[in-house]
Amino acid sequence: MMITEVVLFGYFMTCVCADGVADVVLSCTLVEDGVGHHGMGAAFTRTPATLVFKDVAVAPEESLETLTQFVPPSVPDPDLILFEAQVSSVEFPGADVLLHADCNEQEVMCEISRYAPRGSQGGSDPAYFMVSINVEGVEFSSVLILQTTVVEKDHTTLMQSKLGLPLSQSGCLPTEVIFLVFSHVKSVNAPLSGEVLLNCGFKQHEKVSSLDVGIEWRMQHRGKGHKVFDMKTRLDDAEGNTVVHAERTGSSMDASGVAGEGNVSVTLNKVQVSDEGSYICTVTSGLFHAQQVIQLHVTQPPHVSLSEEKLVLKKESPQTLSCHCSNYYPLDAQMEWLSMSPTDTEPAVFPDQGSLSSHRQHSDRTYSLSSHLAVPPTVPPGTKIICRVSHPALDAPLSLSVEVKSPEQDSYLIVLGFLIVTVIFFYNLMR
Ligand SMILES: *[C@@H]1O[C@H](CO)[C@@H](O)[C@H](O)[C@H]1NC(C)=O
């Protein structure tokens, strides 16, 4: 079977705007996958392509002046690959992200492949394409399915040379966005035992709207996968015909949101370390299905404590001070010893960084770690010894400190000396 894959790698070129709508233009690369050359595996060929989203709704406050006009080539060229996609008939989530990607110098990665609806024969009319859009550095990604629209053919109609599809008068491949699945998160952090919402949504063209919708959430981690949640529903009667399987206990979805707005976000409660992984949201609607992947990271900040409340130095031997970091996740915690003498204005890294215990892992898969520092008797009294802990779950490093007191023996001797002097004094007085 021959599969044509079109990968559009590009970023914003231009945009034409009028009356609250704009055209969004992506400069792309077409990649075809198919016949292996010289008996080798499948090879990819890359060809530049362009994708124009027509009539994307723009917020009224949007300044349209900076946007220039997209002009199709004056002479239609059958070798150019110019997709024109109507989005006015479906809501187009992320339009604002795409509109501003250029200004914000964010690269838009866009990948198109030929798409075969379920149960269809290859090469059927209309043709379908799947477009994956990812904006670098932005929490948005989307997969769209394009369906070619009818071109009135006459003797002047050109055929696109690579795809074998008829071009419009202006040399474009006219299509409509008929189905899309999107997410406003690529990666999400959840606190241990907390609750997390994994965002996913879909939109479909009314013309091809299917009432039967299937939603499946799967989880994958280190090559292993399992189902988390699935729902089969009918959009006209969400109550009566909805079948839900929450494979993971404590996973839920709002059925009214599914029928109402295509909101297929899933909520996981009592998050455990074992919930960490990639979550795949697959929406199936009639002949079409598309998915989104969201990474879930579990984070739990360490509980930090010091072994001593006060540090009274001995005269000869060093005094041990321990800093304990407990029940944190993930593993990468960093501990650092600092000191600040009464004359210092800022803490300085302590010359000795102590010795670390090995990591201990608890039954909830969180970790603990301790650092033991030998504080030498040479440290001047009044100095603060600080344990500073950094961890991804902490916004800023956490510091605990203890102040060094002068050696105990000295004060003991002073008290003893004072007592002796006093006793002698009174003894003399009473004679
Ligand atoms: C989608 O549904 C969830 C509840 O399942 C809700 O928390 C969230 O706000 C909804 N998202 C939107 C965009 O309405």
Side-chain angles (χ1 to χ4, degrees):
M1 192 172 91
M2 179 146 140
I3 297 165
T4 309
E5 229 192 323
V6 187
V7 176
L8 303 179
F9 239 131
Y11 43 90
F12 252 14
M13 274 173 24
T14 44
C15 176
V16 48
C17 312
D19 300 329
V21 293
D23 291 356
V24 170
V25 185
L26 296 168
S27 167
C28 312
T29 305
L30 163 73
V31 176
E32 284 174 291
D33 156 31
V35 266
H37 295 285
H38 316 292
M40 309 286 281
F44 291 98
T45 57
R46 290 167 188 272
T47 320
T50 304
L51 174 60
V52 184
F53 289 112
K54 296 291 287 180
D55 306 332
V56 176
V58 174
E61 68 272 14
E62 208 69 69
S63 161
L64 304 177
E65 280 147 32
T66 54
L67 305 161
T68 51
Q69 190 164 348
F70 171 74
V71 187
S74 51
V75 181
D77 180 350
D79 292 330
L80 280 183
I81 301 161
L82 189 55
F83 285 94
E84 196 180 72
Q86 291 289 342
V87 292
S88 51
S89 49
V90 281
E91 274 180 72
F92 188 44
D96 50 334
V97 174
L98 290 176
L99 271 169
H100 296 120
D102 195 30
C103 294
N104 301 340
E105 298 190 344
Q106 290 150 340
E107 200 175 332
V108 177
M109 210 284 285
C110 167
E111 186 176 303
I112 302 186
S113 49
R114 244 192 214 270
Y115 181 80
R118 293 198 303 172
S120 75
Q121 306 298 313
S124 61
D125 188 36
Y128 294 92
F129 294 89
M130 179 179 268
V131 186
S132 301
I133 297 175
N134 243 296
V135 186
E136 178 203 60
V138 178
E139 291 291 302
F140 178 77
S141 72
S142 184
V143 170
L144 306 91
I145 292 173
L146 308 180
Q147 182 184 49
T148 54
T149 53
V150 177
V151 173
E152 293 300 333
K153 281 188 216 160
D154 59 29
H155 64 280
T156 63
T157 303
L158 293 171
M159 299 296 276
Q160 208 292 320
S161 55
K162 224 172 178 79
L163 300 167
L165 295 168
L167 296 173
S168 67
Q169 292 296 316
S170 56
C172 298
L173 270 167
T175 68
E176 276 180 303
V177 176
I178 54 164
F179 181 66
L180 64 90
V181 176
F182 65 96
S183 178
H184 287 292
V185 283
K186 287 176 185 169
S187 164
V188 61
N189 290 339
L192 200 66
S193 333
E195 189 179 277
V196 67
L197 179 73
L198 302 173
N199 174 255
C200 186
F202 75 98
K203 302 280 175 200
Q204 55 184 349
H205 195 298
E206 56 196 15
K207 159 169 126 183
V208 289
S209 276
S210 157
L211 291 174
D212 291 303
V213 174
I215 301 123
E216 187 193 69
W217 279 92
R218 287 186 69 78
M219 192 273 231
Q220 253 171 342
H221 190 55
R222 302 216 167 112
K224 283 190 201 147
H226 62 87
K227 199 190 278 182
V228 172
F229 183 94
D230 74 35
M231 181 189 279
K232 290 200 173 32
T233 188
R234 273 183 70 83
L235 296 181
D236 55 345
D237 178 18
E239 299 304 318
N241 292 288
T242 302
V243 184
V244 176
H245 290 284
E247 311 272 326
R248 179 209 183 271
T249 25
S251 59
S252 62
M253 190 181 293
D254 176 6
S256 64
V258 176
E261 319 138 50
N263 180 354
V264 297
S265 305
V266 75
T267 304
L268 308 180
N269 65 23
K270 299 203 180 80
V271 169
Q272 302 297 306
V273 171
S274 56
D275 288 319
E276 194 164 68
S278 305
Y279 284 77
I280 303 148
C281 160
T282 307
V283 183
T284 307
S285 175
L287 304 177
F288 307 103
H289 78 278
Q291 44 189 217
Q292 285 294 312
V293 183
I294 297 157
Q295 304 301 326
L296 173 65
H297 301 285
V298 176
T299 60
Q300 180 68 19
H303 176 258
V304 184
S305 63
L306 284 173
S307 60
E308 314 294 328
E309 268 172 24
K310 54 178 190 169
L311 198 63
V312 183
L313 292 184
K314 291 180 192 133
K315 214 162 185 174
E316 306 297 334
S317 58
Q319 184 87 334
T320 304
L321 177 64
S322 304
C323 186
H324 308 293
C325 255
S326 49
N327 296 89
Y328 58 86
Y329 193 87
L331 188 59
D332 24 36
Q334 280 184 357
M335 295 169 94
E336 191 179 26
W337 289 103
L338 305 159
S339 70
M340 190 160 113
S341 77
T343 55
D344 285 343
T345 50
E346 264 181 60
V349 175
F350 203 73
D352 175 12
Q353 284 297 301
S355 60
L356 287 176
S357 69
S358 55
H359 285 102
R360 294 180 299 281
Q361 192 168 23
H362 308 284
S363 57
D364 65 357
R365 291 169 64 185
T366 60
Y367 297 97
S368 291
L369 179 68
S370 301
S371 177
H372 309 289
L373 180 70
V375 184
T378 49
V379 172
T383 302
K384 277 188 175 140
I385 309 284
I386 303 159
C387 171
R388 187 162 72 184
V389 177
S390 311
H391 185 266
L394 294 168
D395 293 332
L398 224 155
S399 295
L400 284 189
S401 67
V402 61
E403 198 175 305
V404 172
K405 302 272 190 257
S406 45
E408 203 157 46
Q409 220 172 347
D410 279 356
S411 52
Y412 171 73
L413 281 180
I414 289 166
V415 172
L416 193 71
F418 180 75
L419 272 177
I420 291 166
V421 168
T422 315
V423 167
I424 292 169
F425 176 75
F426 278 100
Y427 178 75
N428 284 335
L429 209 69
M430 287 162 81
R431 272 207 327 190

